[in-house]
Amino acid sequence: MLAKRIIPCLDVKDGRVVKGINFLGLKDVGDAVELGRRYALEGADELVYLDISATLEGRKTFAELVSRVAEAVNIPFTVGGGIRSLDDASRLLDAGADKITLNSAAIARPELIGEIAAKYGRQFVVVAIDAKSGPDGRWQATTHGGNKPSDKELFSWAREAEERGAGEILFTSMDHDGTRNGYPCEVYAALSDSLGIPVIASGGAGSVADIAAVLTEGKADAALAASIFHYGQYTVAEVKRQLAETGIPVRL
Amino acid sequence: MIAIIDYDMGNLRSLENALDRLGAAYTVTADPDTIRRADKVILPGVGHAGLAMDNLVERGLPDVIRSLRQPVLGICVGMQVLCRDSEEAPGKPCLGVFDAHVRRFSPAPGCKVPHMGWNDIRNLEGKLFKDLPSGSYLYFVHSYYAGLCPDTVATTLYAGEMFSAALRYENFYGTQFHPEKSGSVGERILQNFLAL
């Protein structure tokens, strides 16, 4: 049976992980390669590395980091942050990334999804959507970390992304992100039902019960989490063990 | 020396990195003599099966591959082109080493296509799966699958279909999953192949 995936997310700035991480005995907690290896050993199903560098120099460092991650880590990993062109995607593929995420750049120029998928296959392209619910209940996709509204609506944009060649949709509710109050499961379920490609839930997990809910009621295929792992609340192995106890298929 | 066949079907970095981690020596090549002389041959592949066959034909490799007597491992599309034919390449014969027909998953409610992620393999047979328990999880990414056939040596269930997770005929092995991306279990399978 296909397992639900648990995916730790690491934010990287100038080559180093910037959020606090809970691995005891790790001398350099900022080392993105070592952390990736530790997560993989703990049972992470995939990893996501997001580049939040703002400088050209930071971007270069990130590409070098991707090569080192590919050498060291024996599970699939996705990279994102600042990918604006087929060339950017090609560089990261050549460095060894298994998938890339597109966010603002896909909203600005949706053709980019198809250009990358045509060259490298749809399994390589994850479209990330950060959306906020409006007073009318409409979920509006945003860019720039939720600060800038776009003209795209979550459901129609996700379907368009699928038609253009996206292999997965990574949806973050900006209303829930960082709150640790759980995910909007009904929105995830409707999104998952409306698509023929996997949906990854992101942002809002405060407990294993929240993750379990989005993987069952929310019909998500995978859950991406950062703070729940980084702040020492749970290890990946603990989360998966607890999910397994509730009957959710996970790889142990 | 292992020959990784280079026929422009996807990135080989993952496989090279996995072999590096195992300390195995390899060369990436499309040269028939180098392939024939290798101790082991790996035929990787990500992408379209029809294009994969075209690329093999263009490089004069189908007969070279069929005639190999050393252990050969096809991975993902590399395994699919070793089958008889594929719905992804209508009217085009594949290499015909495995007696399997490759079909597309029909989308079923709650079953997304591609089949992507970790799934368990069962009914394991042979040395490729030495020391691996039934129910081990491997990483899959594919929209087409080889049906069950006499060459099936591991099975997986998805979208209501039981299909071949791995095939074997004489010295030819094929895995639908990606051992190079499947954690320590995948590494074990690669080691088992290298030890053949």
Side-chain angles (χ1 to χ4, degrees):
Chain A
M1 191 171 190
L2 185 65
K4 299 285 187 179
R5 287 171 281 154
I6 300 299
I7 309 174
C9 180
L10 300 101
D11 287 348
V12 176
K13 192 174 184 198
D14 304 326
R16 296 178 56 78
V17 175
V18 290
K19 276 188 186 161
I21 310 275
N22 69 321
F23 288 121
L24 291 170
L26 204 59
K27 283 197 192 98
D28 181 0
V29 291
D31 186 84
V33 175
E34 192 51 30
L35 285 169
R37 278 166 67 117
R38 294 288 286 260
Y39 277 134
L41 280 173
E42 273 198 356
D45 296 306
E46 295 181 24
L47 300 170
V48 171
Y49 286 87
L50 283 184
D51 182 20
I52 58 168
S53 312
T55 62
L56 197 61
E57 199 52 41
R59 295 258 182 261
K60 258 195 229 156
T61 312
F62 187 67
E64 287 156 18
L65 171 74
V66 171
S67 307
R68 289 194 294 124
V69 171
E71 284 163 16
V73 170
N74 59 12
I75 58 171
F77 72 100
T78 303
V79 299
I83 299 165
R84 314 232 152 261
S85 65
L86 180 61
D87 280 351
D88 290 342
S90 303
R91 258 194 300 279
L92 293 166
L93 176 110
D94 290 340
D98 296 286
K99 310 178 194 183
I100 51 125
T101 65
L102 298 175
N103 193 332
S104 305
I107 287 182
R109 204 171 68 79
E111 294 77 16
L112 183 60
I113 300 170
E115 290 165 12
I116 299 174
K119 183 127 191 227
Y120 300 122
R122 67 163 54 229
Q123 84 294 333
F124 183 64
V125 184
V126 181
V127 171
I129 307 177
D130 298 335
K132 259 181 184 164
S133 66
D136 54 355
R138 187 175 178 272
W139 284 82
Q140 189 171 35
T142 61
T143 60
H144 302 83
N147 292 324
K148 260 175 93 172
S150 77
D151 59 353
K152 306 280 191 195
E153 184 273 333
L154 167 65
F155 288 87
S156 57
W157 173 228
R159 274 193 301 274
E160 181 184 341
E162 176 178 0
E163 279 159 22
R164 288 184 178 276
E168 289 175 283
I169 298 291
L170 169 64
F171 162 46
T172 305
S173 160
M174 299 313 281
D175 300 346
H176 297 74
D177 192 35
T179 66
R180 311 184 73 184
N181 287 330
Y183 303 86
C185 287
E186 65 298 340
V187 182
Y188 275 103
L191 185 65
S192 189
D193 282 339
S194 74
L195 299 173
I197 53 176
V199 172
I200 305 166
S202 155
S207 67
V208 180
D210 292 336
I211 296 176
V214 82
L215 294 175
T216 52
E217 289 160 51
K219 299 184 181 178
D221 299 279
L224 183 86
S227 54
I228 193 170
F229 299 130
H230 295 342
Y231 297 128
Q233 202 176 353
Y234 299 99
T235 65
V236 176
E238 277 161 9
V239 167
K240 293 181 80 175
R241 206 157 40 232
Q242 288 189 35
L243 291 173
E245 280 164 14
T246 65
I248 294 172
V250 288
R251 176 181 70 107
L252 289 177
Chain B
M1 178 69 81
I2 301 157
I4 300 176
I5 300 183
D6 179 11
Y7 62 122
D8 204 17
M9 285 307 291
N11 196 293
L12 304 174
R13 276 294 297 275
S14 299
L15 181 60
E16 292 175 51
N17 284 331
L19 294 175
D20 284 338
R21 285 193 293 271
L22 295 173
Y26 58 86
T27 180
V28 175
T29 181
D31 174 54
D33 287 334
T34 309
I35 294 169
R36 283 193 202 99
R37 279 200 311 267
D39 303 315
K40 306 259 166 30
V41 175
I42 301 181
L43 180 64
V46 169
H48 191 279
L51 181 62
M53 268 316 294
D54 290 346
N55 287 358
L56 289 174
V57 169
E58 212 172 89
R59 290 161 179 76
L61 293 175
D63 287 336
V64 175
I65 293 171
R66 283 191 199 100
S67 66
L68 295 174
R69 285 290 154 259
Q70 62 274 57
V72 178
L73 176 64
I75 298 174
C76 197
V77 170
M79 180 207 84
Q80 294 181 359
V81 294
L82 286 167
C83 293
R84 202 171 62 226
D85 52 16
S86 169
E87 282 183 4
E88 198 174 19
K92 201 177 280 184
C94 291
L95 295 171
V97 170
F98 302 128
D99 191 20
H101 177 61
V102 176
R103 285 186 288 264
R104 193 173 205 283
F105 285 115
S106 345
C111 285
K112 314 283 177 79
V113 177
H115 172 221
M116 183 189 291
W118 297 80
N119 207 332
D120 59 342
I121 59 170
R122 296 179 184 274
N123 303 306
L124 311 183
E125 282 174 34
K127 287 184 184 160
L128 203 57
F129 300 109
K130 185 171 170 280
D131 299 331
L132 285 184
S134 178
S136 294
Y137 278 92
L138 280 304
Y139 190 77
F140 291 82
V141 185
H142 61 123
S143 300
Y144 292 80
Y145 66 94
L148 300 180
C149 69
D151 302 329
T152 303
V153 291
T155 65
T156 294
L157 188 62
Y158 186 67
E161 289 292 340
M162 174 94 88
F163 65 90
S164 295
L167 294 161
R168 186 206 165 175
Y169 178 75
E170 294 182 349
N171 56 314
F172 289 88
Y173 296 77
T175 65
Q176 181 58 68
F177 51 80
H178 288 272
E180 75 280 15
K181 280 281 146 188
S182 293
S184 54
V185 173
E187 280 172 0
R188 163 54 59 185
I189 290 171
L190 286 175
Q191 277 171 333
N192 287 343
F193 174 72
L194 298 179
L196 287 170

